[in-house]
Amino acid sequence: MKALSELAEMVHNTKIREVELVQQNRNDHSPLNTLLNGILNNEFSSDQEAAQKVLQVDATDQLYQRLRRKLRRGLLNAVFFFDLPQSDYNERQRAYHESCKNWAAAKILLAKNANYIGIELCHKLLKKAEKFDFTDLVMDITRILRLHYATREGNIKKYELYNDLFKQSEKTWIEENLAEELYMELVLRYVNSQNILEETHSRAIGFYKQIEGSLAQNKSFRLHLCGMLIQQVIHSTKYDWEGMINLCEESIQFFLNKPYKASVPLQIAYHHQLIAYTQLLRFEEGQKAATSCLEYLEPGSFNWFKHQEYYFLLCMNTRQYQQAFEIFKETTTHRRVQFLSPAAAEVWKIYEAYLYFLHSNGEISIPESDSSLSKFRIYRFLNETPIFSKDKKGMYIPILIAQILITLKDKKYNQAVVNIENIDRYCSRYLRQGETFRSNCFIKMLLTIPSSNFHREAVVRKAAKLKKRLEQESNKFVRAEIEIIPYETLWEYVLNSLSNKAYQVRR
């Protein structure tokens, strides 16, 4: 149902020209349009529910399955008649869309022996493919052209021209694929985890050396995009944020010099500058990078949601809490939030917990008519984060800390003791040296609270050495995605929730 819903929404929100979406009258009450309109209005949570409401049958019934297939065919056919709005898509995106359609047409024509129009279309396509760095398309077109001029016209000069172009594009295509494969090898382990493996940095350096020569000789779009991504891994795994900023600036200049608007690499470069400025707590520069990045993003796209995460973290790490809340609202109310992966959706559940904590501390102003955070419940929050609850060295850390912060703020000391003691063994087992060391220090600081009977001055004394060690690590292993609010700032809130009155917890 999710795939069909995504297809229906995409077609519904894109201009269609010269053809009706499914049938002549979309406002009639036929089963087909009832199913379509129900999907668009989010009336069905499953195929079973859709089948019952539309046809009063089970989802396995052949009548419903035929109706579903007919709708899917109609929606897929409509994809070929998309009219991309000038304002929503850049020049390269429109060129890619048109090239894919025309290439499909050219192949169909050639298969039907309509060679004159098919070859003419190939020549026009080749110019556009070369201009916009569509290497795979250049390779496919030149393969067809060399075959045509060798076997149909016997034109040696043109055969050699397109054979050379084919070999050049094939070489570039191989180099691009290698770079892309190496990048995927680096990131595939982090889709559902934020825990960076120790060997990732050295692997990234080795991978970059494999493509360094190609990067120096070839100006390919995809090759340099993947090269930039691998270099970003090199800098991020060593927390070299100044190096990251410089790399991104070089990449921005490279892609700005392309004869078209290279949106994807530019928004990635600006996004990683945003990450770097967030780590360095440089809000104004980070905000500038965030604004530049938004220029190249389509709201509701995967990269837009990822950008929103780090824009949110920039605001949280620089105490721009009200702005962070506005970003949270804009993101979580977007119509495409339902298509986020489970892991990406959980991230925003975690952010909600920290916003709730800040709101309870008076740091965020919310109109009475806005119920954004009023529905937050700590036990529901824990149930809604099953993926990251298994990420012991990653996003499970802010989940645990949020739970403790909220129970302390609410002065539920008995529950706070249980929560704090439950993480003692976890802390010694999973959080030691390296990138989790600051988390280790902070959680051990929290452990001093029940042993000090929640007495503020006693807690300050017991936690003093740990706090000093935490601060000494501030320039080494700060991970904004883990420290949604810097631990030093969180500690201020913790102490403010305590008083100089001892509280003896009953065991």
Side-chain angles (χ1 to χ4, degrees):
M1 176 58 73
K2 183 172 283 192
L4 188 60
S5 297
E6 185 174 38
L7 178 60
E9 189 214 20
M10 180 178 65
V11 171
H12 177 69
N13 287 292
T14 306
K15 292 181 180 179
I16 307 295
R17 64 187 179 197
E18 301 171 2
V19 68
E20 285 292 338
L21 174 60
V22 178
Q23 56 192 55
Q24 290 298 314
N25 184 5
R26 286 185 56 208
N27 294 319
D28 67 27
H29 298 290
S30 67
L32 186 67
N33 281 322
T34 301
L35 177 59
L36 172 62
N37 291 326
I39 290 172
L40 291 173
N41 295 326
N42 295 317
E43 295 175 8
F44 313 130
S45 60
S46 65
D47 277 304
Q48 180 63 27
E49 187 176 355
Q52 287 288 343
K53 288 186 176 180
V54 177
L55 296 172
Q56 293 77 52
V57 298
D58 287 336
T60 56
D61 191 285
Q62 286 300 309
L63 188 62
Y64 174 72
Q65 289 297 318
R66 284 197 296 270
L67 182 69
R68 193 181 191 281
R69 286 195 294 270
K70 184 177 180 180
L71 175 60
R72 189 172 185 273
R73 282 196 302 271
L75 292 170
L76 286 173
N77 286 336
V79 168
F80 291 95
F81 295 91
F82 281 0
D83 186 14
L84 302 186
Q86 295 289 317
S87 59
D88 294 344
Y89 295 86
N90 61 54
E91 184 186 12
R92 190 172 193 268
Q93 288 172 318
R94 291 194 298 273
Y96 183 75
H97 175 79
E98 291 296 330
S99 296
C100 285
K101 287 198 301 183
N102 289 333
W103 177 233
K107 289 198 291 184
I108 292 171
L109 290 167
L110 291 169
K112 293 290 186 180
N113 292 315
N115 291 297
Y116 289 108
I117 184 63
I119 293 301
E120 179 183 305
L121 197 51
C122 283
H123 281 292
K124 290 181 178 179
L125 272 171
L126 181 58
K127 291 180 181 179
K128 184 172 286 189
E130 289 179 317
K131 175 183 177 181
F132 290 99
D133 286 332
F134 300 148
T135 305
D136 52 346
L137 196 52
V138 171
M139 185 173 66
D140 285 341
I141 294 169
T142 52
R143 181 180 60 83
I144 293 296
L145 289 174
R146 71 172 183 173
L147 179 66
H148 173 79
Y149 287 111
T151 62
R152 286 187 175 271
E153 295 194 12
N155 189 320
I156 297 175
K157 186 176 179 180
K158 287 190 175 182
Y159 163 75
E160 291 176 345
L161 169 66
Y162 293 112
N163 189 45
D164 288 343
L165 285 175
F166 171 79
K167 289 180 178 179
Q168 291 170 19
S169 60
E170 183 184 39
K171 179 177 180 293
T172 297
W173 183 74
I174 291 171
E175 291 173 346
E176 289 175 347
N177 286 338
L178 173 61
E180 188 174 78
E181 178 187 0
L182 295 174
Y183 173 66
M184 290 187 292
E185 283 286 327
L186 288 175
V187 301
L188 66 88
R189 294 169 180 81
Y190 306 119
V191 174
N192 292 325
S193 173
Q194 297 287 351
N195 181 34
I196 299 175
L197 301 177
E198 292 181 2
E199 68 269 19
T200 301
H201 179 74
S202 57
R203 291 185 77 210
I205 291 176
F207 287 173
Y208 181 72
K209 287 180 179 179
Q210 291 185 49
I211 63 171
E212 195 170 10
S214 299
L215 288 166
Q217 299 174 9
N218 196 324
K219 303 302 181 184
S220 153
F221 174 96
R222 189 158 67 107
L223 176 63
H224 277 265
L225 170 59
C226 293
M228 175 184 70
L229 292 170
I230 292 172
Q231 285 182 284
Q232 287 173 348
V233 174
I234 293 173
H235 291 295
S236 63
T237 49
K238 278 298 181 183
Y239 308 95
D240 177 15
W241 305 120
E242 292 291 353
M244 177 73 82
I245 292 168
N246 293 333
L247 163 68
C248 291
E249 193 57 44
E250 291 174 6
S251 298
I252 289 167
Q253 293 307 313
F254 174 85
F255 286 106
L256 282 176
N257 286 329
K258 287 289 185 182
Y260 50 82
K261 193 173 184 178
S263 295
V264 171
L266 287 170
Q267 58 99 342
I268 291 174
Y270 282 121
H271 174 70
H272 280 77
Q273 278 193 334
L274 167 61
I275 294 173
Y277 287 128
T278 299
Q279 296 287 349
L280 297 171
L281 302 180
R282 288 155 61 174
F283 175 74
E284 290 185 3
E285 292 160 296
Q287 188 176 42
K288 183 178 178 181
T291 303
S292 297
C293 186
L294 283 171
E295 180 184 344
Y296 299 97
L297 287 169
E298 178 187 353
S301 65
F302 173 84
N303 285 341
W304 181 81
F305 278 107
K306 187 55 81 173
H307 167 79
Q308 293 291 87
E309 285 184 28
Y310 278 93
Y311 195 5
F312 175 90
L313 290 172
L314 170 69
C315 295
M316 293 290 275
N317 274 259
T318 53
R319 301 199 184 204
Q320 308 293 321
Y321 300 134
Q322 192 66 40
Q323 188 169 346
F325 174 69
E326 297 303 326
I327 294 169
F328 171 82
K329 278 198 64 178
E330 179 187 21
T331 306
T332 56
T333 58
H334 194 279
R335 58 183 172 79
R336 290 192 59 81
V337 73
Q338 61 179 312
F339 299 116
L340 285 178
S341 69
E346 279 191 21
V347 167
W348 291 99
K349 294 293 182 183
I350 297 171
Y351 294 167
E352 182 183 10
Y354 282 82
L355 289 173
Y356 174 79
F357 172 74
L358 290 169
H359 178 52
S360 67
N361 277 277
E363 296 286 1
I364 297 173
S365 176
I366 303 177
E368 291 184 6
S369 58
D370 190 338
S371 60
S372 301
L373 300 177
S374 62
K375 297 178 181 179
F376 179 83
R377 298 292 182 272
I378 187 66
Y379 293 110
R380 187 180 65 187
F381 160 64
L382 297 174
N383 290 330
E384 289 177 338
T385 51
I387 295 176
F388 286 132
S389 291
K390 299 174 183 177
D391 185 19
K392 299 304 183 183
K393 292 185 179 181
M395 291 301 285
Y396 188 46
I397 299 169
I399 292 173
L400 283 175
I401 291 173
Q403 186 181 4
I404 294 169
L405 292 172
I406 291 169
T407 52
L408 283 174
K409 175 61 183 174
D410 293 342
K411 300 193 182 302
K412 296 179 180 178
Y413 292 148
N414 285 9
Q415 185 60 48
V417 168
V418 173
N419 293 340
I420 291 172
E421 290 181 346
N422 283 342
I423 65 173
D424 192 7
R425 184 178 299 176
Y426 159 84
C427 183
S428 60
R429 182 176 180 180
Y430 294 105
L431 310 181
R432 295 179 182 176
Q433 297 296 324
E435 63 190 28
T436 60
F437 185 68
R438 278 176 56 84
S439 297
N440 179 296
C441 289
F442 184 68
I443 290 177
K444 285 185 175 179
M445 288 162 67
L446 294 176
L447 291 171
T448 65
I449 296 173
S451 64
S452 302
N453 294 324
F454 298 86
H455 189 280
R456 178 187 171 106
E457 289 187 3
V459 170
V460 170
R461 287 194 301 271
K462 282 193 174 184
K465 289 183 179 180
L466 288 165
K467 185 171 182 291
K468 186 175 181 180
R469 292 170 69 186
L470 177 75
E471 292 168 345
Q472 288 172 345
E473 296 291 316
S474 62
N475 294 323
K476 298 179 182 178
F477 298 109
V478 179
R479 290 175 59 190
E481 70 274 18
I482 301 298
E483 294 186 40
I484 297 169
I485 300 174
Y487 290 147
E488 291 85 352
T489 304
L490 281 183
W491 188 241
E492 294 175 20
Y493 288 117
V494 169
L495 295 179
N496 289 337
S497 69
L498 303 175
S499 67
N500 288 323
K501 179 180 179 181
Y503 182 89
Q504 189 69 44
V505 176
R506 294 181 181 181
R507 306 273 179 176

